[in-house]
Amino acid sequence: VRLALRLCVDNMGNCMDASTSTNTSNEQVFGTSNAVADSTTALEDAKLLVENTKEISREAFVLGIQKLLNLTIAGYPRAIRSSLSKRNELLRRFDGDQDAAVEEIKRQAASITEEAKTWVLGLVPYVGLPGAILYPTWRLLRRVCVMAGLYGHDLDLPETRAKIVHVFGGLRAVPAVEYAIETAVQLVWTSFVGPVAAFVPVGTLVSKVANVEGKVMGIVGQETFTEGRQPVPEEVYMQELDAEPTTQDFAALAKDFAALAKDGAEYTLLKAWALGGEAVAIAAD
């Protein structure tokens, strides 16, 4: 349905011309440029409605969040910086003051570049989450991961990752037995939609993520990660790790994907990274 709507928007002129005589001008077909804009807006609204009324299963949510967490922490070469790279950048800006850096991450709108947003939404086939929920989920997970790193937590530890998921869901005081990552995501699903629901409309999850964001950054995240905080030494946060991707980086990455597609291995590298595997080794195979 989304593809059909997109094609209709992109080819509106052709669709309309096909239903009229070849002597009819574009002005006559469309009326005015405003009418075209109004029609496009209506179709975009319809796309959003279709997206939000789609249903997502518990299983897809649980698996998708785990994949997205891997990408959020590790980043992706020439596209998304790692969370620790963003952490280090903030600490350099605030001369190693962890609390000041945390306040900054809470204050930020947590936006990433439009190029990065487009790239993240391109993960839909492999992350398995609809675009309407993928981007706000990514944005909130990103902020939580950076906050955990600012407090000196090891983002590679399963316990830390489970805590990140708990905070993402606005959960606090979770027993240590619930520190398995899959279990943590199951708890978030239950918190969002209840213990019984196996499927929910995408729009429901979007609203839940939006509603929990302020609570997460203002209260739950700080409470959770203050416990067990560790200093981040200067020799650690002075490392750049990975630079901010440029427009040229995104263009080069697109060319790489195109080359892989010619060999019948489209998005192999991306898929490996989304699954949390060793991207280079899998691509080499």
Side-chain angles (χ1 to χ4, degrees), residues 70-245:
N70 288 333
L71 284 157
T72 305
I73 291 174
Y76 192 84
R78 295 176 295 171
I80 303 293
R81 297 176 73 185
S82 67
S83 290
L84 289 183
S85 179
K86 296 292 288 185
R87 185 272 312 269
N88 288 358
E89 179 185 294
L90 281 167
L91 287 175
R92 289 194 298 270
R93 188 191 310 174
F94 290 96
D95 298 321
D97 188 330
Q98 291 168 279
D99 294 313
V102 167
E103 289 303 313
E104 174 64 14
I105 200 66
K106 287 163 60 179
R107 185 195 63 79
Q108 286 177 357
S111 62
I112 56 179
T113 65
E114 285 302 307
E115 292 91 346
K117 177 179 178 179
T118 300
W119 188 89
V120 169
L121 292 179
L123 295 172
V124 168
Y126 298 115
V127 174
L129 297 176
I133 186 63
L134 178 62
Y135 183 59
T137 298
W138 159 272
R139 189 175 63 182
L140 182 53
L141 271 176
R142 176 68 146 180
R143 297 176 76 183
V144 176
C145 288
V146 174
M147 177 180 280
L150 285 170
Y151 279 119
H153 294 278
D154 185 345
L155 302 187
D156 289 328
L157 290 178
E159 179 178 338
T160 302
R161 293 190 174 208
K163 286 182 177 180
I164 287 169
V165 173
H166 294 153
V167 171
F168 162 77
L171 304 175
R172 52 171 25 133
V174 178
V177 71
E178 307 293 356
Y179 282 157
I181 297 176
E182 182 175 347
T183 303
V185 183
Q186 294 276 8
L187 285 175
V188 170
W189 173 271
T190 299
S191 173
F192 281 175
V193 303
V196 177
F199 293 86
V200 295
V202 170
T204 299
L205 286 177
V206 172
S207 65
K208 294 294 184 180
V209 172
N211 290 339
V212 81
E213 185 165 5
K215 177 185 177 185
V216 162
M217 301 312 298
I219 303 173
V220 182
Q222 196 158 8
E223 286 182 358
T224 300
F225 298 126
T226 298
E227 181 180 352
R229 65 182 291 175
Q230 298 291 326
V232 180
E234 182 176 2
E235 61 268 23
V236 172
Y237 70 72
M238 288 305 294
Q239 300 175 40
E240 186 175 13
L241 297 183
D242 42 274
E244 189 74 45

